[in-house]
Amino acid sequence: MQSEVTATVYVTLSRSTLVLLCSLPFRFFDRTVARRVTGSTRGMAQKVLVTGGGGYIGSHCVVELIEAGFLPVVIDNFSNAVRGEGDVPESLRRIEAFLDTTIEFHELDLLDKPGLERIFKKHKFHAVMHFAGLKAVGESVEQPLRYYRVNLTGSINLLEVMQAHGVHNVVFSSSATVYGDPQKLPIDESHPAGACTNPYGQTKYFIEEMIKDHCKAEKDWNAVLLRYFNPIGAHISGQIGEDPQGIPNNLLPYVAQVAIGRRKQLNVFGNDYNTIDGTGVRDYIHVVDLAKGHIAALRKLEESCGCKVYNLGTGTGYSVLQMVKAMEKVSGRKIAYQIAPRRSGDIASCYADPQLAEKELGWKAQFDLERMCEDLWRWQSKNPTGFCNGTAE
C-alpha cells in the first residue's frame, strides 16, 4: 500500500526560474519517478546541440545534460565513436538504456555545411557544445593539413550556421595544450597561450581565437572556452568510458589495457625529470567532473557573459608511476612497465590552477585519484575490449 505522503517536484529551467510541475503521491522518490517527470517535460527543455557527442567526453556531457534537464541533440561522424545498433553511437545507445530515455542523433560531419543547415532549420537551439574534431597529438604532427582542414573548417562552418540561425551561445572544448611548455606552475588562465608544440594544440588555439574575435564583433554572442587537462575515469555505471581505437595515445587507457591483459607492458618515457620520482607529472581530472564543468559553463552563458576562458583541472599533479601504482591498487593486478627514452616535446610537469572556475562558475572537481581509477577499472573490467565486444549489462 502506498504512503499518502506527497512530494512537490520541480524542474530547473534556468538559474533563477523554477516551474512547479505536480504533486506526486509516492512511497519514495527515485530515478523511476524522475524519468517520468523528465519525459513529461521534454517539450519544455532547452535544446543543446552537442557536436561529437558520441565520443568519450561528449557522451559523458550528454548524460549530465539530460540529468540537468536539458534536451541534447547529438551529431557525430564516428571518427571517435563506435557505431552501435541502428547506426547510433554505442555510447548513446547505452545512455538511452541506463537513463531510460531517447536521444536524437544525426550522423553528420561538420564539413557538411548543408547538412548542418538542415539540423538548425529543424531545431531551435539554446546553445551548442562543440567537441567534434580530430584529437591525436602524434597523428596531427604526421598529418597537419588534415587537422587544420577538419578542425578549423568544421568549426568555421558551425559558427557561420549558428550565426545564420540566431544561435549565439557556445561552450567550446579546448585544451591545456594551448599553453605549450609551461612558463610557471600551476598554470592559470593568464598564462600565455599559443606557443603550441603540435598542430592539434594549434587548432584548439586558433578556434579559441576565432570565437574570441567573433564575440568581439557580435556583442550578443556568449562563449565559454574550457581548457581541460587530462580527463580519465568513466561513468559509475561502467556502461560508458574511453574506448581508444587502436593503440591508446593517453596514459591511463594504456595502463588499464595492460591490467586487463590487452597490452603486454607500459613504456614509461623518461625517469630523469625533476619530479617526485623522475617521471612526468600531469593533472588528471575525472571525466564526470569535467562534464559537470560543462553544465556550469552552460549556466554561465545565461548571464550574457561575453567570452570567458576557464581551466578545468584539479590543481594536483600525479606522476606516471603514481598513476601506475594507483591502478595496481584498485585492480589488484601487477602492471608491467619498462623505462624508455624521453619523447621529444614532452615536459616534466603540467597542472592547473582551477580557482577561477570555482570563483566564477561555482565548479570544483570532486573526485579523487582513487575514485578516478576505480571508475576506470570498472569500465575496463566490464568492457575488456571496449564498446565493440564489451560485456557490460
Side-chain angles (χ1 to χ4, degrees):
M1 180 176 177
Q2 286 192 341
S3 164
E4 295 187 7
V5 175
T6 63
T8 301
V9 181
Y10 294 91
V11 170
T12 302
L13 294 184
S14 71
R15 204 167 218 176
S16 58
T17 305
L18 290 173
V19 177
L20 174 63
L21 294 178
C22 55
S23 292
L24 295 174
F26 69 123
R27 249 173 105 187
F28 56 89
F29 188 76
D30 64 6
R31 184 181 290 274
T32 303
V33 178
R35 288 180 192 137
R36 290 202 294 271
V37 173
T38 302
S40 68
T41 59
R42 288 173 71 87
M44 290 187 264
Q46 292 175 320
K47 289 184 179 179
V48 177
L49 178 67
V50 185
T51 74
Y56 174 46
I57 298 171
S59 61
H60 284 80
C61 284
V62 167
V63 172
E64 296 302 321
L65 282 166
I66 293 169
E67 296 197 328
F70 294 95
L71 186 60
V73 176
V74 177
I75 60 175
D76 202 294
N77 69 352
F78 291 99
S79 64
N80 293 309
V82 174
R83 191 180 299 271
E85 292 181 13
D87 286 331
V88 172
E90 179 64 14
S91 57
L92 299 187
R93 191 191 69 79
R94 294 188 182 190
I95 292 168
E96 288 181 324
F98 70 70
L99 289 185
D100 190 19
T101 190
T102 56
I103 300 168
E104 182 172 338
F105 170 73
H106 299 270
E107 181 174 357
L108 183 68
D109 193 308
L110 291 183
L111 297 180
D112 178 7
K113 194 172 183 180
L116 199 55
E117 289 274 7
R118 287 192 293 271
I119 299 295
F120 275 79
K121 287 177 182 177
K122 180 179 178 182
H123 297 284
K124 183 174 177 59
F125 293 115
H126 166 64
V128 173
M129 282 190 178
H130 181 26
F131 299 96
L134 301 175
K135 65 183 186 69
V137 169
E139 185 181 64
S140 77
V141 175
E142 298 168 355
Q143 304 175 36
L145 293 182
R146 177 173 172 243
Y147 269 67
Y148 290 128
R149 177 175 59 85
V150 171
N151 291 3
L152 299 186
T153 306
S155 296
I156 290 171
N157 285 347
L158 177 64
L159 294 171
E160 288 180 341
V161 173
M162 288 175 63
Q163 178 71 13
H165 290 269
V167 181
H168 299 159
N169 294 317
V170 62
V171 177
F172 175 55
S173 164
S174 191
S175 167
T177 58
V178 302
Y179 293 121
D181 291 337
Q183 297 179 13
K184 62 177 182 177
L185 291 172
I187 299 172
D188 62 19
E189 290 82 356
S190 68
H191 188 289
C196 307
T197 58
N198 55 75
Y200 162 72
Q202 290 277 41
T203 65
K204 290 292 189 182
Y205 176 69
F206 291 155
I207 295 166
E208 281 194 7
E209 292 299 294
M210 288 192 295
I211 294 173
K212 288 178 182 178
D213 287 343
H214 191 64
C215 287
K216 288 177 185 176
E218 302 290 339
K219 303 303 182 184
D220 55 348
W221 269 68
N222 301 293
V224 176
L225 315 178
L226 297 177
R227 295 171 176 170
Y228 28 93
F229 283 66
N230 297 77
I232 62 172
H235 190 267
I236 192 171
S237 66
Q239 294 286 314
I240 59 172
E242 186 169 10
D243 184 16
Q245 303 305 296
I247 299 173
N249 291 302
N250 298 324
L251 173 65
L252 265 295
Y254 203 110
V255 170
Q257 289 188 11
V258 172
I260 205 70
R262 287 181 64 185
R263 307 279 169 193
K264 182 179 179 181
Q265 65 181 11
L266 171 72
N267 284 323
V268 177
F269 297 104
N271 66 344
D272 57 351
Y273 289 105
N274 184 24
T275 62
I276 188 171
D277 56 23
T279 63
V281 168
R282 300 292 182 269
D283 188 338
Y284 297 93
I285 178 173
H286 198 297
V287 67
V288 173
D289 275 332
L290 192 67
K292 291 180 185 296
H294 287 72
I295 303 302
L298 201 56
R299 303 293 190 198
K300 185 69 176 178
L301 296 174
E302 297 173 8
E303 301 176 8
S304 298
C305 62
C307 189
K308 296 286 188 177
V309 178
Y310 299 103
N311 288 338
L312 294 187
T314 65
T316 301
Y318 294 100
S319 74
V320 173
L321 293 185
Q322 285 176 322
M323 299 305 292
V324 168
K325 291 174 183 175
M327 279 299 294
E328 286 181 335
K329 179 180 177 182
V330 301
S331 68
R333 302 187 181 188
K334 187 70 176 175
I335 296 170
Y337 67 87
Q338 67 176 5
I339 304 299
R342 290 188 185 190
R343 291 182 300 189
S344 176
D346 278 353
I347 57 178
S349 297
C350 181
Y351 51 92
D353 179 345
Q355 293 183 76
L356 188 62
E358 182 176 5
K359 177 183 177 182
E360 296 191 7
L361 299 181
W363 172 91
K364 185 177 181 179
Q366 299 298 314
F367 298 131
D368 62 14
L369 178 59
E370 185 173 5
R371 173 64 184 273
M372 297 182 214
C373 293
E374 285 175 353
D375 289 346
L376 170 58
W377 182 241
R378 184 181 302 108
W379 151 256
Q380 189 70 76
S381 300
K382 286 188 171 186
N383 305 270
T385 55
F387 283 121
C388 291
N389 299 296
T391 59
E393 295 178 354

